[in-house]
Amino acid sequence: DMDAITLSVARMVEQKRIDPANGWQLILVASLSNLAFKAGAATFLGGRRFGSRVLAAFAVAITGGLALLLFFP
């Protein structure tokens, strides 16, 4: 899932095409999108009850990721 985006962003940082300060943010946004998609897939495939359990587990990571994006310079 995340291997391709992580390697691509790392390569772009290494080539100085993007700033390292933005690189971690891009990877974080991709991982949050990945979690949101997986929560949706779990709900679709496993039903509302299962999806709510998965979303509850993912909520901590999503909240932490959003806080990092908003409050970390």
Side-chain angles (χ1 to χ4, degrees):
D1 298 277
M2 291 297 301
D3 294 341
I5 189 72
T6 302
L7 291 173
S8 296
V9 169
R11 189 172 296 122
M12 291 185 342
V13 168
E14 184 179 59
Q15 295 171 349
K16 300 187 184 334
R17 292 173 52 196
I18 61 171
D19 186 44
N22 293 333
W24 70 267
Q25 293 173 330
L26 293 170
I27 293 171
L28 182 58
V29 167
S31 68
L32 293 175
S33 299
N34 190 14
L35 281 176
F37 173 79
K38 287 182 178 182
T43 302
F44 180 74
L45 296 172
R48 181 176 285 184
R49 185 173 176 201
F50 180 70
S52 65
R53 289 181 181 179
V54 170
L55 186 58
F58 286 177
V60 174
I62 291 171
T63 302
L66 291 175
L68 277 173
L69 288 172
L70 292 174
F71 300 116
F72 197 77

